[in-house]
Amino acid sequence: MKAEPCAPLSVCLLFKQHPRTYKIMPIGIFDSGYGGLTILKEIASKMPQYDYVYLGDNARAPYGSRSFDIVYDFTLQAVKALFGRGCHLVILACNTASAKALRSIQQNDLPVIDPSRRVLGVIRPTVEILPEVSKTKHIGLLATPGTVASHSYAMELEKMDPEMKIVEHACPMWVPIIENCEADSPGADYFVKKYIDEIMSADPEIDTLVLGCTHYPLLINKIRQYTPNGVCIFEQGRRVAESLADYLKRHPEIDVKCQKNGDIEFLTTESPKKFDSLASLFLGKEVKSSRIVLPG
Ligand code: DGL
C-alpha cells in the first residue's frame, strides 16, 4: 500500500486551502471495457508522470446498445467507485458514457456528491478539433448506437461551426467483435467493410471519418483497409490527451490533487486474467489487474 501524500504547504497556501484537507490521488479513467485503454495509452504517453487508475466494466460491456438510464446508472456507479478510491478527477474514456451520462453527472450528481471533484468526457475535445481537420467540412461519425442516438456529436459540432455537416452512423457489431477477441476474424472484415461502405455512400464528400468509440482503434488495421484513399481516419486518443494536459494547466487547483509517481492501476469487473491478456496485448506491456465489484 502506497503512502498517500497530502498537498505541500506552499501549494495549500497558494490556493488558500488548509494543509492536509485532501489526499493527492491518481486520475481515474473509466470505460465500459477495453476501449478506454486507447485513451489511457495516449494520456500516459503524453503525461507519464501522473498516476492513473483504469476501470473497465468488462462484465457489463458493451454499453453501446443499452438504454440511456442503464448507461447513466452504470457510469455513475463507476464514477462513485473511483471517487471512493480517492480520485479527484475522472475521465469518461467512453463516448457512450460521455454522450449519455456525463451531463447528468456533472449537473445533478457532482454538486451533491462533492462539488470539488471533476468528471470530463471525450466528445467535446474531439469535436473541438474537427473544423481544423476537415477540408470539405463533411464529417462521418462511426460510433455505438447509443452515441449516435444521442446526437451529441452533431449538437457539439453545430455549436463549433454551423456550416459543417456530419453523418452519424451506428456500428453495433464492432464492440462485441472486439470484446470477444474476434478483431482478426473474417466476421470483423465483413462488418468493418459494411459500415464503412454504408457511411461513405450516405455522403461521398466525407473527408474525415471519426472513430467515435474508444474501442474502435482496436480494429484500426481493418478500418484502414476498407476506408477509401484520401479519407482521414481520426482517432481521438491523442486529442483527448492534449486536451487533458491543457485542462490541468488551466486548473492548477485540480492538478495539485493528482498524484505523480508514474504508476497505473487496473481494475476490471470481469476476470482479471481475461482482462490482463488482452490489455497487455494492447498496451504493449504487462498488466496486472484486480477485480472490482461495482455496488448497484
Ligand atoms: N468504448 C465505448 C465508447 O467509446 C463503449 C463501447 C460499448 O461498450 O459499447 O463508446
Side-chain angles (χ1 to χ4, degrees):
M1 184 79 179
K2 266 182 287 150
E4 294 163 349
C6 293
L9 184 59
S10 56
V11 168
C12 295
L13 290 174
L14 185 64
F15 297 109
K16 298 195 176 66
Q17 272 158 329
H18 190 274
R20 300 188 180 277
T21 52
Y22 59 83
K23 286 177 178 164
I24 300 176
M25 298 303 277
I27 296 173
I29 311 269
F30 167 69
D31 182 52
S32 61
Y34 297 108
L37 294 171
T38 64
I39 303 289
L40 172 67
K41 191 177 176 186
E42 296 293 341
I43 291 179
S45 128
K46 180 150 186 75
M47 295 181 289
Q49 70 276 29
Y50 287 81
D51 286 12
Y52 304 96
V53 49
Y54 182 87
L55 168 50
D57 191 7
N58 301 75
R60 302 188 293 191
Y63 280 14
S65 302
R66 293 188 185 272
S67 67
F68 183 99
D69 289 350
I70 293 293
V71 173
Y72 165 70
D73 285 350
F74 287 180
T75 305
L76 184 58
Q77 288 164 14
V79 167
K80 282 183 175 168
L82 289 166
F83 283 171
R85 290 184 166 244
C87 301
H88 298 280
L89 172 63
V90 173
I91 311 297
L92 302 185
C94 173
N95 290 266
T96 310
S98 299
K100 293 186 157 190
L102 179 64
R103 186 173 295 222
S104 303
I105 291 177
Q106 285 175 333
Q107 293 180 352
N108 306 329
D109 299 300
L110 275 186
V112 179
I113 301 171
D114 182 349
S116 72
R117 304 208 193 208
R118 295 289 177 273
V119 181
L120 304 175
V122 290
I123 295 179
R124 186 71 193 258
T126 305
V127 171
E128 273 172 359
I129 198 83
L130 293 179
E132 284 173 39
V133 177
S134 170
K135 291 197 171 53
T136 62
K137 290 184 179 267
H138 287 241
I139 303 283
L141 173 77
L142 298 162
T144 65
T147 300
V148 167
S150 76
H151 297 300
S152 298
Y153 272 88
M155 288 185 300
E156 290 293 336
L157 196 61
E158 165 83 24
K159 286 187 225 154
M160 216 61 69
D161 180 348
E163 279 181 22
M164 294 197 66
K165 309 238 172 324
I166 185 164
V167 176
E168 301 170 290
H169 195 71
C171 310
M173 292 305 291
W174 285 6
V175 174
I177 284 170
I178 293 160
E179 288 284 325
N180 289 292
C181 310
E182 292 285 345
D184 291 323
S185 68
D189 279 285
Y190 175 82
F191 282 107
V192 170
K193 181 173 182 333
K194 174 178 159 55
Y195 298 144
I196 290 178
D197 287 352
E198 284 169 359
I199 195 166
M200 290 310 301
S201 51
D203 180 359
E205 284 188 66
I206 288 172
D207 71 348
T208 306
L209 280 181
V210 176
L211 305 189
C213 170
T214 57
H215 280 66
Y216 295 172
L218 281 91
L219 282 173
I220 192 67
N221 291 339
K222 292 204 189 299
I223 293 172
R224 278 203 192 106
Q225 189 182 335
Y226 294 109
T227 298
N229 286 339
V231 174
C232 155
I233 301 163
F234 188 83
E235 295 178 60
Q236 59 191 163
R238 198 166 301 169
R239 171 62 197 151
V240 171
E242 280 163 7
S243 170
L244 178 61
D246 180 56
Y247 176 87
L248 289 170
K249 233 179 251 160
R250 287 183 290 109
H251 293 275
E253 77 286 4
I254 302 291
D255 186 66
V256 290
K257 296 179 182 173
C258 299
Q259 198 157 36
K260 298 174 185 88
N261 291 323
D263 289 338
I264 308 182
E265 183 186 2
F266 294 90
L267 303 170
T268 175
T269 54
E270 243 286 355
S271 133
K273 205 169 154 205
K274 189 176 168 203
F275 180 86
D276 294 354
S277 54
L278 203 67
S280 34
L281 258 187
F282 180 72
L283 286 173
K285 61 179 179 192
E286 197 77 351
V287 166
K288 197 124 197 59
S289 64
S290 321
R291 178 142 187 263
I292 183 171
V293 177
L294 295 178

